[in-house]
Amino acid sequence: MEGLTVSDADLVVFVHPSKSKRASEAILRELSSHLFQFNKIFGGVLLAYDIDVASKNAKILPGLNPNSGLRLKAKLLLFSPEPNMLLEGKVVKLTPESIHVIVLGFASAVIIDEDIRKEFEFRTKHDKEVYRSKAHRRHVIKVGTMIRFLVKSFNKEILHICGSLRPTNTGSIHWLDKDFQEISLIDRSGTKRESKNEMKMQEHSVVGGEEISLGSDKIKKSKKRRFREES
């Protein structure tokens, strides 16, 4: 899925002197407070981190509320979706006007009817709402389906995504991946048939009205040629 990046960062975490004996806990608590929030400094939503304290010698910074500054290196997993990226999420609600999705378990996304391609038709079957493709009957989107959709916009404050199912490479991930595998198998089988036909054509050729088998030393005259010689 697009929108996920791993970033290396050199950070300085400020710890109150009273917590200097438990600096590691203070650092983890500080970084954890930024989880699942958009951070302008990081340039994305912090999902996970792995830290390595570069120096255990804290530098006390002067001020009204003096703090100790600890330098550390960190690997950050960030979520920063941009327009035209492809994201994946789980469908949690369907209506005739919209499809509601949860991405990575925390970000909400909505795809309104004008951004759902005309191929999909909303139906209620056995008291369950579904979007079914009119072109491919097995391509169905229902609650619980994992879908791939295009990002139109991303609200960083409330972590809300506006998406689109207009491109043909969007929809149910299960169906898209299965369809891609079937196309690949067809292409491979077609290539095999073509190569076999080419081999057969190479094994047999006609020269001057005579059929010559390249795989054998025997040369057979065609029936038409033999009939002419007898007459």
Side-chain angles (χ1 to χ4, degrees):
M1 183 177 74
E2 297 179 336
L4 291 173
T5 57
V6 176
S7 178
D8 293 321
D10 294 320
L11 304 176
V12 177
V13 177
F14 302 112
V15 179
H16 193 274
S18 63
K19 299 179 181 178
S20 58
K21 291 183 179 181
R22 295 183 178 180
S24 297
E25 293 181 8
I27 290 171
L28 294 176
R29 190 178 298 109
E30 177 64 24
L31 289 176
S32 296
S33 66
H34 296 282
L35 286 172
F36 304 109
Q37 298 178 21
F38 186 86
N39 191 299
K40 292 182 179 180
I41 297 175
F42 298 154
V45 180
L46 181 62
L47 301 183
Y49 57 84
D50 183 26
I51 62 171
D52 179 22
V53 179
S55 175
K56 295 183 179 179
N57 297 322
K59 182 179 180 181
I60 298 178
L61 305 176
L64 295 176
N65 296 309
N67 288 316
S68 299
L70 287 172
R71 292 186 177 276
L72 55 92
K73 293 183 178 294
K75 280 190 176 296
L76 309 176
L77 177 61
L78 302 172
F79 177 59
S80 50
E82 299 289 341
N84 298 321
M85 282 186 175
L86 288 173
L87 298 185
E88 299 174 1
K90 185 177 182 179
V91 176
V92 294
K93 182 180 179 181
L94 294 175
T95 72
E97 296 81 22
S98 59
I99 298 175
H100 298 261
V101 183
I102 291 294
V103 179
L104 297 174
F106 74 94
S108 63
V110 64
I111 305 167
I112 59 177
D113 56 350
E114 65 182 37
D115 293 316
I116 302 173
R117 61 182 183 273
K118 301 303 181 182
E119 170 190 341
F120 288 104
E121 181 180 33
F122 180 82
R123 286 187 175 185
T124 301
K125 187 175 182 180
H126 303 302
D127 296 327
K128 294 183 179 180
E129 297 83 6
V130 299
Y131 273 91
R132 185 184 297 274
S133 168
K134 291 182 284 186
H136 306 280
R137 306 299 294 176
R138 295 184 179 180
H139 192 178
V140 177
I141 297 174
K142 56 186 178 180
V143 172
T145 299
M146 292 296 296
I147 67 170
R148 184 175 295 126
F149 64 95
L150 192 74
V151 176
K152 289 185 64 180
S153 64
F154 175 51
N155 189 314
K156 299 174 182 178
E157 294 183 359
I158 61 175
L159 305 182
H160 185 269
I161 303 165
C162 290
S164 171
L165 285 179
R166 284 187 173 275
T168 55
N169 62 340
T170 59
S172 167
I173 294 176
H174 175 75
W175 188 90
L176 290 170
D177 292 346
K178 184 178 180 181
D179 185 58
F180 177 77
Q181 292 173 0
E182 289 177 354
I183 292 173
S184 299
L185 290 172
I186 292 171
D187 290 342
R188 287 198 294 270
S189 61
T191 303
K192 289 180 180 178
R193 284 196 297 269
E194 290 176 1
S195 61
K196 287 181 180 178
N197 291 334
E198 289 178 359
M199 290 176 65
K200 289 181 180 179
M201 290 176 65
Q202 292 174 0
E203 290 175 356
H204 297 84
S205 61
V206 177
V207 179
E210 296 181 352
E211 182 181 324
I212 300 175
S213 177
L214 301 180
S216 174
D217 294 335
K218 296 181 180 179
I219 299 177
K220 298 180 180 178
K221 293 183 178 181
S222 65
K223 292 181 178 180
K224 291 184 179 180
R225 180 68 179 272
R226 191 162 52 244
F227 175 77
R228 288 176 182 173
E229 290 177 351
E230 291 175 355
S231 59

